[in-house]
């Protein structure tokens, strides 16, 4: 009995492994506790291990590769076509094992690679910083909306912009809009102080993350990110939606403001926009991942 391929279903504590030999015969069906994972795979001869891309998949792919195996990550869309019956951990591991052996994945969407590149610890650290920043931005937006709503309930209107809300000292809330701001009930004043203070804290935390990301950008030109993050895990099981959103938002902002600018960057942006549609993010991503050249569509007859 020699195991050549294993499908591994990941979880927090209990994992499921399904192994086959070179003839495709099932020779291993085993439920593993987290502490049993590395000892078991360290005893097995080197084999191909298929893993469905998920939150901890990159970690386990690195750990198993360190023991001499070849860990390959696949987007969930690549595994779904191999599920033949029902649901369950054992059936899921069997489907993963079948998917990693298939020579082609005709059902995988265009530009989505069959296998997901395994991220390094450094790449995952950068993604964590981006996701944390995105979380803080959402919290800042929520606090700002709640503060504006509370101020409106008291007949007060703050200047537009989150930055102006964060600058409001509690003792000056609505001083221009309210005839007697000192007449606010203590409960209302204390309730308003909390989101104002939180807005200032969030602004400082977001600024610190921005500086860290900007400082680390010099040594990371984005090629590994481009080839490893076509779309978010929510769509095809790999990549990072936060980075995709930042790329699209940044490019859109530059193109939108280039129409009214006379800078060198604006001139460089306007030139391709004159010949191509405004948004070609998906085409650009396809060119990055496949290495092909852009082929414009032939004009309609």
């Amino acid at each position: 009995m020699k195991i050549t391929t294993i499908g591994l279903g990941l979880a927090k504590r209990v994992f499921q492994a399904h192994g086959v030999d070179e003839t495709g015969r099932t020779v291993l069906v085993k439920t593993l506790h987290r502490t049993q994972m590395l000892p078991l795979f360290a005893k097995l001869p080197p084999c191909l291990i298929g893993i469905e891309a998920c939150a901890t998949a990159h970690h386990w792919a690195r750990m198993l590769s360190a023991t001499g195996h070849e860990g390959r990550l696949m987007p969930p869309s690549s595994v779904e076509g191999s599920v033949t019956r029902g649901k369950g951990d054992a059936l899921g591991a069997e489907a993963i094992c079948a998917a990693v052996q298939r020579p082609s994945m005709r059902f995988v969407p265009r530009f989505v690679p069959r296998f997901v590149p395994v991220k390094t610890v450094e790449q995952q650290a950068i993604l964590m910083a981006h996701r944390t920043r995105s979380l803080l931005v959402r919290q800042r937006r929520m606090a700002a909306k709640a503060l504006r709503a509370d101020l409106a309930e008291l007949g007060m209107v703050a200047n537009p912009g989150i930055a102006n809300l964060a600058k409001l000292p509690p003792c000056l809330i609505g001083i221009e809009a309210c005839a007697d701001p000192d007449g606010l009930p203590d409960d209302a004043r204390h309730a308003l102080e909390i989101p104002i203070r939180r807005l200032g804290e969030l602004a400082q935390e977001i600024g610190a993350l921005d500086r860290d990301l900007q400082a680390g950008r010099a040594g990371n030109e984005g090629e590994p990110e481009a080839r490893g993050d076509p779309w978010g895990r929510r769509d095809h099981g790999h990549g990072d939606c936060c980075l995709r959103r930042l790329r699209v938002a940044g490019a859109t902002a530059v193109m939108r403001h280039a129409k009214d600018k006379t800078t060198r960057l604006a001139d460089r942006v306007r030139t391709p926009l004159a010949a191509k549609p405004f948004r070609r993010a998906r085409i650009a991503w396809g060119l990055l991942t496949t290495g092909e050249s852009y082929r414009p569509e032939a004009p309609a007859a």
Side-chain angles (χ1 to χ4, degrees):
M1 180 184 70
K2 182 180 179 181
I3 301 174
T4 59
T5 308
I6 295 178
L8 184 61
L10 300 182
K12 292 182 179 179
R13 295 182 178 84
V14 180
F15 303 80
Q16 185 70 39
H18 182 95
V20 298
D21 60 15
E22 57 185 7
T23 65
R25 184 170 60 94
T26 300
V27 293
L28 174 68
V29 177
K30 191 173 183 63
T31 301
L32 302 170
H33 191 271
R34 186 181 186 90
T35 58
Q36 298 174 312
M37 285 279 289
L38 293 180
L40 171 67
F41 284 98
K43 297 177 181 178
L44 296 177
C47 58
L48 174 63
I49 302 177
I51 305 173
E52 187 176 15
C54 63
T56 61
H58 294 274
H59 164 74
W60 284 110
R62 290 194 300 266
M63 298 295 289
L64 295 175
S65 297
T67 62
H69 301 284
E70 181 183 359
R72 291 186 181 181
L73 306 186
M74 296 174 294
S77 57
S78 299
V79 179
E80 291 173 358
S82 300
V83 178
T84 57
R85 64 190 190 282
K87 291 184 178 181
D89 294 342
L91 295 176
E94 182 181 358
I96 295 172
C97 184
V100 76
Q101 299 179 83
R102 296 190 61 169
S104 63
M105 294 288 183
R106 299 183 182 276
F107 48 84
V108 176
R110 189 183 180 190
F111 296 143
V112 176
R114 178 185 173 192
F115 298 112
V116 181
V118 179
K119 293 184 178 68
T120 64
V121 176
E122 291 74 16
Q123 287 174 326
Q124 286 192 299
I126 294 175
L127 293 177
M128 289 179 187
H130 279 286
R131 284 193 288 265
T132 300
R133 185 188 183 280
S134 179
L135 172 64
L136 296 180
V137 169
R138 291 198 303 270
Q139 292 179 347
R140 183 177 63 177
R141 188 183 304 118
M142 294 171 61
K145 289 183 177 180
L147 179 57
R148 287 190 182 277
D150 288 340
L151 291 175
E153 290 289 338
L154 300 175
M156 305 177 187
V157 178
N159 292 331
I162 293 180
N164 290 322
L165 284 174
K167 293 177 183 177
L168 286 176
C171 60
L172 297 180
I173 289 178
I175 214 168
E176 296 180 355
C178 183
D180 185 16
D182 294 330
L184 287 176
D186 290 340
D187 290 342
R189 186 176 296 278
H190 294 161
L192 293 173
E193 288 176 356
I194 295 174
I196 292 176
R197 183 174 62 253
R198 187 59 184 142
L199 283 173
E201 295 171 353
L202 288 170
Q204 294 178 1
E205 293 166 352
I206 294 172
L209 281 174
D210 288 341
R211 290 189 293 271
D212 292 342
L213 291 170
Q214 186 66 25
R217 181 188 172 198
N220 191 352
E221 295 300 328
E223 180 66 15
E225 295 176 3
R227 296 202 175 275
D229 299 292
W231 288 287
R233 184 173 61 237
R234 187 174 300 174
D235 297 327
H236 297 294
H238 60 292
D240 187 84
C241 57
C242 177
L243 289 182
R244 184 181 69 253
R245 182 171 61 251
L246 291 175
R247 292 190 188 104
V248 174
T252 302
V254 170
M255 290 187 290
R256 181 170 297 164
H257 291 283
K259 295 181 290 186
D260 304 326
K261 302 292 184 180
T262 58
T263 62
R264 183 180 303 177
L265 175 61
D267 293 338
R268 292 178 59 185
V269 171
R270 280 194 295 266
T271 300
L273 285 178
K276 294 182 176 64
F278 183 62
R279 288 185 177 177
R280 285 282 178 92
R282 295 179 69 88
I283 294 179
W285 188 260
L287 298 179
L288 284 174
T289 55
T290 62
E292 299 179 1
S293 300
Y294 176 69
R295 298 189 300 273
E297 297 179 0

